[in-house]
Structure formats: C-alpha cells, structure tokens
Amino acid sequence: YQRRVRVVSTQSTGGSVSSIRHTTSVITSTVGEISAATANTVMDDVMEKTIVPDVNAVLKDGFTLPIDQWINLNKALVETHDDFLKVCADFSLTEYALQHIRSIVEEEVANFTF
C-alpha cells in the first residue's frame, strides 16, 4: 500500500489518503471461482469504506515532526509504508539551527592551535 499526505505547515505533516495501490492474487477459494479482478474490486471497496476514512481522520489534524526548531520543510511529500515513514522535501535550516552551528564553529576556531 502507498499513502501520500501533504505538508500542512513547515513543521507539521497531515492531509489525507489520495491513493492506494495493491495487487491481489487468488491462490485458492472456498467460495468457488473468483478472479483477481473481482477480489481487487472487493478490496478497493472495503478499503475505501473502512480503512481510508479511519486513516484520514487521524491525518486530518496532522502531526508535528520532531525537527521543528531545526529545519523548515518545503515542497514536502510524506509516504507511509508498512514498516516505515518516508519524508521527501527541500529543506532550509531555521535561524535557531544556524546560530547553533555558528556557535560550534566559533568555539572550534577559538580553540584551534597550530
């Protein structure tokens, strides 16, 4: 399954499920002959009426990523998979992050000896 969500703000992700892709194979059936196409249609219907609304209810308000004081996300795309969350985005460092990096560099320069 692949679900895509949009970024609500520069530090928060949220949105809604816009697509679900899956492949169904029929190995055996206890209800008689059934094609993979029919099984796909049934699975699509079940997911659209049960799983998708539940997932969208959770994603509607969004959730904050644990990087809010360090990085601003731009043009982000979040994909959830069975065992991981993939975040793709352009990013820029916040002023807080830049100041922190400057202080580290300044300290290193001040302590540098030949």
Side-chain angles (χ1 to χ4, degrees), residues 25-64:
S25 299
V26 178
I27 307 300
T28 62
S29 171
T30 59
V31 295
E33 286 292 316
I34 183 168
S35 69
T38 300
N40 275 329
T41 300
V42 170
M43 289 301 297
D44 286 342
D45 196 45
V46 167
M47 283 191 270
E48 286 177 19
K49 291 180 178 172
T50 60
I51 296 170
V52 171
D54 288 345
V55 170
N56 282 340
V58 171
L59 293 176
K60 178 180 69 172
D61 296 329
F63 55 93
T64 301

Side-chain angles (χ1 to χ4, degrees), residues 32-95:
E33 286 292 316
I34 183 168
S35 69
T38 300
N40 275 329
T41 300
V42 170
M43 289 301 297
D44 286 342
D45 196 45
V46 167
M47 283 191 270
E48 286 177 19
K49 291 180 178 172
T50 60
I51 296 170
V52 171
D54 288 345
V55 170
N56 282 340
V58 171
L59 293 176
K60 178 180 69 172
D61 296 329
F63 55 93
T64 301
L65 297 173
I67 57 170
D68 61 332
Q69 70 185 61
W70 296 94
I71 295 175
N72 289 317
L73 299 177
N74 304 300
K75 301 178 194 170
L77 172 66
V78 178
E79 292 181 357
T80 58
H81 297 265
D82 289 339
D83 57 351
F84 65 94
L85 177 69
K86 179 179 176 182
V87 179
C88 306
D90 293 339
F91 70 91
S92 59
L93 297 175
T94 64
E95 190 57 37

Side-chain angles (χ1 to χ4, degrees), residues 100-114:
H100 185 72
I101 292 167
R102 280 187 204 108
S103 69
I104 292 171
V105 171
E106 288 170 357
E107 184 178 329
E108 289 296 320
V109 169
N111 294 329
F112 183 78
T113 57
F114 285 100

